[in-house]
Amino acid sequence: MKPPKKWKFALMVWIAIYPAITLASFLLGDLIKDLALPVRTFIMTGILVPLMVYVLLPLLRKLFGAWLHT
């Protein structure tokens, strides 16, 4: 199987990351707002990277698999 076109994969990642960041910011924003920026970033990426790798991208690959490889 050939790898997907980069623009298609980038769009799929954006479809996953935008709502994930928005939801995480909504849920955690008030809790972490007083922390230093590097600490806030560490917390957010610590949550979002595993969510992307293990949940969202595999799910989207199943949903968009045929489209990715056309």
Side-chain angles (χ1 to χ4, degrees):
M1 182 181 300
K2 67 179 183 172
K5 294 179 178 162
K6 288 186 182 193
W7 73 268
K8 288 183 176 185
F9 189 74
L11 181 61
M12 187 184 72
V13 170
W14 183 81
I15 289 170
I17 199 73
Y18 178 78
I21 289 172
T22 303
L23 182 62
S25 295
F26 176 75
L27 295 174
L28 298 175
D30 288 339
L31 297 173
I32 64 175
K33 69 180 177 188
D34 295 328
L35 299 174
L37 179 59
V39 176
R40 290 192 315 255
T41 304
F42 183 80
I43 292 169
M44 293 291 279
T45 57
I47 294 167
L48 291 168
V49 168
L51 180 66
M52 288 290 295
V53 171
Y54 294 109
V55 179
L56 297 176
L57 289 179
L59 176 64
L60 289 175
R61 276 187 171 262
K62 285 181 185 177
L63 292 173
F64 294 112
W67 175 75
L68 278 173
H69 298 287
T70 58

